[in-house]
Amino acid sequence: MKKTTQKIRNIAGLTALAAACLASIASAPTMAQELYSGYLCCNYRHDGSGWMSDSNYGPNPMMGLGATVVMESYGRNRVNTTMNGARMSIGNDYSRDLSLEQFAKRIIVRQDPKIRLATFPRAVQDAISSGRIMTGMTKEQVLMALGYPITSETPQLDMPTWRYWLSSFEEFSVSWSNDRVANVGGDRGVVAKVLMPGSASGSGAPASANNKNNPTGGSAPVASNSNKLLLIFDGDSSRPYDILGEVSISLSGRSVYASGSANGDAREEIKQEAKNKFGDSADAVINFRADTVTQGGLWGAIGAGYGARNTTVNASGVAVRFKK
C-alpha cells in the first residue's frame, strides 16, 4: 500500500513538472520574431494613451502614415513600439489568422510611404492625408488612407469588397472594379465621413508620369551628363518642381562607427541613381531619408558594437525637375 501511494505521488510530481515545463516553453518569446525600425504603413487611429488597434476606429486621434517606428518587443497579440518618439502598442485584435510577425510586417514597413504618396495627384494626396478615400483610387491608396481591413471580415485583399468600421456601430464597405474603388457603401452619414467628393481617376495623371525620358515608368538607365550637379534635400524644396519618381539605394557591409561617412555615401549614390534613372531631367532629390539596419538580431548588435561590418544603409528620396 505504501509503495502504491509513493508511485502515485511520483507520477503526480512528474505530471506537475511536465506541465510547468510546457507552460515555460509556451510563454517563452519566439527567437525568430524580428525587431526592426521602419515606418507606419498607413493612417492608423490610437486612443491617445499608447494603444493602437487594427480595428482603426475613426473617432480616435490619427497617427499619419510615415510615422517613424522602432519595434521594441512582441507581447500577447500586440507589438510594442516607440512611434514618433512615444510609446505605442499595436494590437492585433481582429486579424489573428496572421502570425504576430506577419501582422507587424503589414503595419511597419521599411520604406517611408510618404515618398510614394508624393507621386500621386494632389487631390489624392489630400484625401489620403485626411484619412479619406475617393472613387477611382487604387488599393494601395486606400490602404494608405484607411489602413488594412481586419482579416476576420476581409481575409484576402483580392476580395471584391472590403469591410471597415468607423466605430462599433458604423460600418462601411469599399467595392472594387478593375482594382479601383467603384463604390463606398453604408449609412449615408458614415459614407460622408470617409468619401471625398470627386474621382481619383479624374485628378490628373500621377506625378511620375511627368517623366518624358521614361514614360513607361520602368527603371532603364537614361543618358545623362555625368558632370551635372544634383541638389539633395532632407525635406521638401521651396522651388516649384515636377516629380519624376522615386529613387532608392542600399549600401551593405557598413560599420555603425562609420555611420556619418555611410550617410554621405548614400547621398552621393542616390543622386547618381537619379541621374541613371531620369537622365538630365533630374535636378534634385527631395525627401531624402537614410536608415541603418543591423543584421543578426541581438548578437549582430553586439558584434556591431565591436566594429563588425554588418550594417546596411537603406536610402530613398524623390527625384524632381525644377520648373523653369
Side-chain angles (χ1 to χ4, degrees):
M1 183 65 180
K2 289 182 178 180
K3 290 183 178 180
T4 302
T5 302
Q6 185 61 39
K7 286 182 179 179
I8 292 173
R9 288 175 178 172
N10 290 343
I11 291 171
L14 289 172
T15 301
L17 179 61
C21 289
L22 289 173
S24 175
I25 292 170
S27 62
T30 303
M31 296 302 292
Q33 289 178 321
E34 181 185 11
L35 297 175
Y36 58 93
S37 298
Y39 306 89
L40 190 63
C41 70
C42 329
N43 297 325
Y44 269 92
R45 307 281 176 170
H46 59 96
D47 67 358
S49 61
W51 179 256
M52 178 181 287
S53 172
D54 61 343
S55 62
N56 209 10
Y57 281 168
N60 293 331
M62 186 174 77
M63 182 73 74
L65 80 166
T68 57
V69 183
V70 179
M71 295 174 63
E72 305 289 355
S73 64
Y74 290 89
R76 183 176 176 82
N77 300 318
R78 68 180 63 190
V79 183
N80 300 312
T81 76
T82 299
M83 191 177 297
N84 275 359
R87 295 288 184 182
M88 185 74 70
S89 292
I90 309 172
N92 183 4
D93 295 325
Y94 302 100
S95 302
R96 293 183 184 174
D97 55 323
L98 299 175
S99 71
L100 199 52
E101 191 169 15
Q102 289 173 325
F103 173 76
K105 287 183 177 179
R106 268 189 165 192
I107 308 299
I108 306 168
V109 296
R110 295 187 184 276
Q111 186 172 30
D112 190 346
K114 288 186 290 188
I115 297 172
R116 178 66 174 156
L117 176 68
T119 68
F120 298 149
R122 176 57 61 184
V124 174
Q125 292 184 44
D126 291 343
I128 292 173
S129 297
S130 65
R132 292 182 290 172
I133 62 176
M134 305 170 71
T135 57
M137 270 188 174
T138 66
K139 291 183 176 181
E140 177 189 26
Q141 292 164 350
V142 170
L143 289 173
M144 285 183 172
L146 302 179
Y148 280 87
I150 55 178
T151 62
S152 59
E153 296 189 342
T154 308
Q156 302 294 332
L157 296 181
D158 59 1
M159 295 180 69
T161 300
W162 294 358
R163 294 180 67 190
Y164 284 98
W165 297 81
L166 277 183
S167 71
S168 300
F169 306 101
E170 296 178 294
E171 179 188 4
F172 66 96
S173 62
V174 179
S175 299
W176 302 95
S177 177
N178 297 321
D179 288 333
R180 289 186 177 270
V181 176
N183 181 64
V184 179
D187 181 83
R188 183 181 299 177
V190 176
V191 172
K193 295 178 183 178
V194 297
L195 183 63
M196 180 175 281
S199 170
S201 301
S203 300
S208 58
N210 289 328
N211 177 18
K212 297 179 181 179
N213 289 317
N214 194 12
T216 62
S219 57
V222 178
S224 68
N225 175 8
S226 60
N227 294 322
K228 182 178 179 179
L229 297 177
L230 267 66
L231 300 176
I232 190 162
F233 300 89
D234 291 335
D236 205 348
S237 170
S238 59
R239 292 180 60 179
Y241 56 79
D242 292 319
I243 293 177
L244 300 176
E246 302 170 57
V247 285
S248 60
I249 58 98
S250 183
L251 304 177
S252 59
R254 301 290 167 146
S255 166
V256 292
Y257 289 126
S259 58
S261 62
N263 186 285
D265 292 344
R267 288 174 178 271
E268 294 305 315
E269 288 288 337
I270 207 161
K271 287 193 290 185
Q272 186 59 51
E273 176 66 11
K275 287 183 181 182
N276 294 341
K277 195 170 183 181
F278 302 109
D280 288 337
S281 293
D283 292 317
V285 174
I286 64 172
N287 296 331
F288 172 79
R289 181 105 190 186
D291 296 290
T292 58
V293 179
T294 300
Q295 285 76 38
L298 175 61
W299 292 110
I302 294 173
Y306 285 93
R309 301 177 67 86
N310 59 349
T311 297
T312 298
V313 180
N314 297 314
S316 58
V318 177
V320 300
R321 173 180 58 215
F322 291 130
K323 293 184 177 181
K324 306 301 183 184

